[in-house]
Amino acid sequence: MTTALPTPSTRSSASAARHRALAAALALLGCATLSAAPAGAESLIRLPRLDETPSLAATTFDRSGRAVGQSSFRVETLAAGSKRLQIEMAVDAGGQNVSEATLAPAPAGDAGGAEGMRLVEERSQSTRADGVRLDLLVIDHERGRASCIPDRGGAEAARHVDLPDPDRVVNVPMQLLFQPLVRGEVEEVRFQIVLCGDGPQLQDMIAVRGPRFERDGRDVVEIRYGPDLGATVAFFASRLLPSFSFWFDAKDGAYLGHRMPLHRKGPEVVLVRSGLTPRDLGVE
């Protein structure tokens, strides 16, 4: 399936803006950018259909390559062909992130996209090692609104932001979003994520292909992503965006692993599909 690619937004070249963008990228699974205009339209992103694999186990590694926990991916089939993807990232010493995305079938031409799946809702919440639960992020693509809901205070204390129109926000199912890059159909993917920090904020992002290599008979391709800091970043991104990565089997697009912080200001972890190690992904 072909993913509808986001268009770049206006960017500032000022160093302060660059610093804010880089800082925002350190949030787990991210969120989107602020928009003055209300959305109200469904997501224009079209993602490949989820397969019927009910679950996928993964091992959580720290930066030194030591196994520190277990993680998982699960796919649940809902009514009318909809799917719910849940991703749990955890470390044994404490700290976890649980994210989920609900997707519905989208026929070709629907909202201008190709046939595939459209995002209905995304949710993400992190817990620090000390047990403190961070804001629950809820992205309602049908209502066109993202909310950061504090663990204490509930819905009455929630902060909201309208999603941009067109809506090109993808926080959770990045392994689906990056498939056109894995297949070599596009050179870059521009999208947005939503961040809960000082409030719900939208951040422009860019993803590009990184190294492709063979390891023990497996053809591996790395996809690197980070803040979209301008047109020149696309050219240099394979070297400028080394910290946030997904790895795939280049032949069939199968997910192999990914690297990102466990939560905002949290430890960086590498999730690796069971049976593999970070070394299999070129992470030494």
Side-chain angles (χ1 to χ4, degrees):
M1 305 299 173
T2 302
T3 302
L5 298 180
T7 56
S9 61
T10 302
R11 310 168 187 87
S12 170
S13 60
S15 59
R18 180 182 294 266
H19 178 76
R20 288 193 299 270
L22 288 171
L26 295 177
L28 174 66
L29 291 179
C31 287
T33 53
L34 293 172
S35 172
E42 68 181 36
S43 173
L44 290 185
I45 297 291
R46 290 297 173 263
L47 301 171
R49 293 188 179 277
L50 282 168
D51 60 30
E52 297 301 322
T53 303
S55 64
L56 174 66
T59 304
T60 309
F61 292 86
D62 64 15
R63 296 187 65 178
S64 67
R66 181 171 59 97
V68 294
Q70 297 297 314
S71 298
S72 65
F73 293 73
R74 290 186 292 273
V75 178
E76 177 185 1
T77 299
L78 307 176
S82 294
K83 303 279 187 176
R84 179 180 292 123
L85 169 67
Q86 185 179 74
I87 304 171
E88 181 174 342
M89 300 166 36
V91 297
D92 295 336
Q96 68 172 2
N97 175 275
V98 178
S99 299
E100 66 178 40
T102 302
L103 304 97
D110 182 28
E115 181 181 3
M117 305 290 286
R118 63 178 177 85
L119 281 164
V120 176
E121 183 186 84
E122 300 178 82
R123 289 174 175 256
S124 181
Q125 186 168 36
S126 297
T127 303
R128 299 187 328 207
D130 60 6
V132 174
R133 299 177 70 181
L134 305 182
D135 286 0
L136 168 65
L137 168 66
V138 179
I139 305 173
D140 188 333
H141 291 275
E142 295 196 323
R143 294 181 64 187
R145 188 173 77 166
S147 304
C148 294
I149 306 172
D151 192 50
R152 294 184 179 181
E156 292 184 358
R159 296 160 295 168
H160 311 283
V161 65
D162 289 330
L163 299 182
D165 188 4
D167 171 6
R168 301 182 185 278
V169 173
V170 180
N171 264 55
V172 178
M174 293 185 186
Q175 73 272 31
L176 299 179
L177 177 68
F178 296 156
Q179 286 298 316
L181 278 170
V182 176
R183 296 192 296 263
E185 297 172 354
V186 297
E187 295 302 317
E188 62 190 46
V189 169
R190 282 184 157 94
F191 61 107
Q192 292 179 308
I193 59 173
V194 180
L195 301 168
C196 282
D198 298 329
Q201 295 180 329
L202 290 156
Q203 173 64 52
D204 291 336
M205 304 289 285
I206 184 172
V208 298
R209 273 190 307 279
R212 178 171 176 171
F213 56 92
E214 283 195 16
R215 185 66 58 93
D216 296 330
R218 180 180 286 107
D219 191 2
V220 179
V221 61
E222 179 181 358
I223 304 300
R224 294 176 173 176
Y225 68 102
D228 187 353
L229 303 179
T232 58
V233 172
F235 182 76
F236 295 107
S238 62
R239 287 177 292 175
L240 294 179
L241 306 177
S243 295
F244 306 96
S245 298
F246 273 73
W247 290 270
F248 300 88
D249 188 310
K251 295 180 180 178
D252 61 12
Y255 165 86
L256 301 179
H258 71 278
R259 172 176 55 200
M260 61 175 56
L262 186 62
H263 54 77
R264 188 170 185 264
K265 298 183 180 180
E268 183 180 283
V269 296
V270 180
L271 268 69
V272 182
R273 188 170 183 154
S274 290
L276 302 176
T277 68
R279 183 181 178 278
D280 295 318
L281 308 182
V283 180
E284 303 294 345

